Amino acid sequence: MSTTVRPAAGAKEVPFAPALPDDMSVEMGSGFLTPGGLVVHTGWSRPLDEPAHVRRQHRAFEGSGSQQWTISTPDGHRAARFPYLYRPDAERAAARIVGALPGGRWPADADTAALLPLALEASEGPALLPLTHKGKPSWGSGYGGDSARFWMPDKRADYERMIAAHGRIPTSCQACARTVREQKRLGWGPRTSHWPKWEVTGHRGAYVQAHCYCGICMGIYLKIGAVKAVTDEAGNTVVGSAAVYPWSESPEITRGVERGDRPFAWFAHFLADAGCVIVDERTGTSLWPENVRHDDALFCETGETGTWDASGVDTSLEEPTP
């Protein structure tokens, strides 16, 4: 880490590296050990001129704009739902997180498996948002750099606890508020309750933007399709899927149909062809979603199920029970 960043009062620079999978070559870097026992640090990524498995720390700079600062345990596990734009903000958030732990700090000999879930739960409330608007926590405008990013829970039970504690709909996103007003005037029904959302791609050990100005809110990523029995190249009967963007044009299906009525034409087509209709918004190939755990997906591209450790890494893949 660059020495242009000076430790805050009470924080000291220490050697640090994130806990990544064993097949990664993680170069040792540094972070700032806070008085409460957690470490704030910049991220690691693949250098452009290095092999795909190499990860190197981003340099940190003082007074040169924002950059991502993450809160982790001393042994390298991410300990906060939000990354922060400035180190002082990350250090203040780390102090609030450890304040909710037994003893009010992260012990040097901490049992990470036992304490990490408590730290993550303490970090996920709206009060820990990295952005503010008029002095209050905010999800940001949604236009880009000032949009909050959020690490989705790695397990369904953690997600359900978060929903029970904080609700489904963020109330301080400026972009969503504007979108709702404008689209309701136009007669649309925008869907702004997409944070937090379990099905979001990359929820396992990766952060996502909690809001986008038009994509998810306005249903741009919706697909409409169906599944039915088909014959593969070997002559076997398998389950196949087909899907399109609801407003797609087709010479056979939507000829002479106004654009606003095309979803209804596709609905009628798939219902007649397969006897069912599925509407989905997850990233995937046709109706097979990507990065979705088998036990939480309507369909899965791998057909595999497994367990997940504290870092979100699948540790015990096994074939699903027939």
Side-chain angles (χ1 to χ4, degrees), residues 69-87:
W69 288 87
T70 303
I71 302 171
S72 296
T73 65
D75 57 353
H77 294 281
R78 173 179 45 82
R81 293 290 184 210
F82 295 101
Y84 292 84
L85 301 181
Y86 303 94
R87 184 167 62 88

Side-chain angles (χ1 to χ4, degrees), residues 14 16 54 60 87 93 100 184 196 204 260 316:
V14 296
F16 177 83
V54 174
R87 184 167 62 88
K184 283 185 176 179
R204 297 187 312 226
S316 61

Side-chain angles (χ1 to χ4, degrees), residues 1-5 32 42 58-62 64 67 69:
M1 183 177 292
S2 170
T3 56
T4 59
V5 174
F32 295 97
T42 57
H58 305 160
R59 294 184 62 192
F61 299 94
E62 185 177 38
S64 59
Q67 63 182 134
W69 288 87

Side-chain angles (χ1 to χ4, degrees), residues 220-309:
I220 285 179
Y221 306 126
L222 278 177
K223 294 176 291 185
I224 186 171
V227 295
K228 69 176 184 178
V230 296
T231 302
D232 65 11
E233 296 178 353
N236 300 315
T237 300
V238 297
V239 178
S241 73
V244 297
Y245 177 56
W247 290 270
S248 295
E249 186 175 7
S250 167
E252 295 81 16
I253 311 301
T254 63
R255 181 188 299 273
V257 178
E258 293 291 335
R259 187 180 188 279
D261 292 329
R262 287 176 190 169
F264 304 103
W266 284 111
F267 184 97
H269 165 73
F270 285 117
L271 185 63
D273 184 58
C276 66
V277 180
I278 297 171
V279 177
D280 202 350
E281 58 188 9
R282 293 170 292 188
T283 301
T285 301
S286 190
L287 289 174
W288 311 123
E290 301 169 359
N291 298 326
V292 179
R293 288 182 58 180
H294 183 271
D295 56 346
D296 291 309
L298 177 61
F299 304 108
C300 179
E301 83 280 10
T302 63
E304 296 174 333
T305 184
T307 58
W308 310 85
D309 63 15

Side-chain angles (χ1 to χ4, degrees), residues 10-57:
K12 63 178 181 179
E13 191 168 5
V14 296
F16 177 83
L20 297 181
D22 292 339
D23 59 352
M24 293 288 184
S25 176
V26 183
E27 297 183 3
M28 180 61 68
S30 64
F32 295 97
L33 180 65
T34 64
L38 293 178
V39 177
V40 299
H41 57 88
T42 57
W44 268 251
S45 65
R46 174 192 174 185
L48 293 177
D49 57 347
E50 295 289 348
H53 67 285
V54 174
R55 296 294 181 268
R56 181 178 300 157
Q57 187 176 21

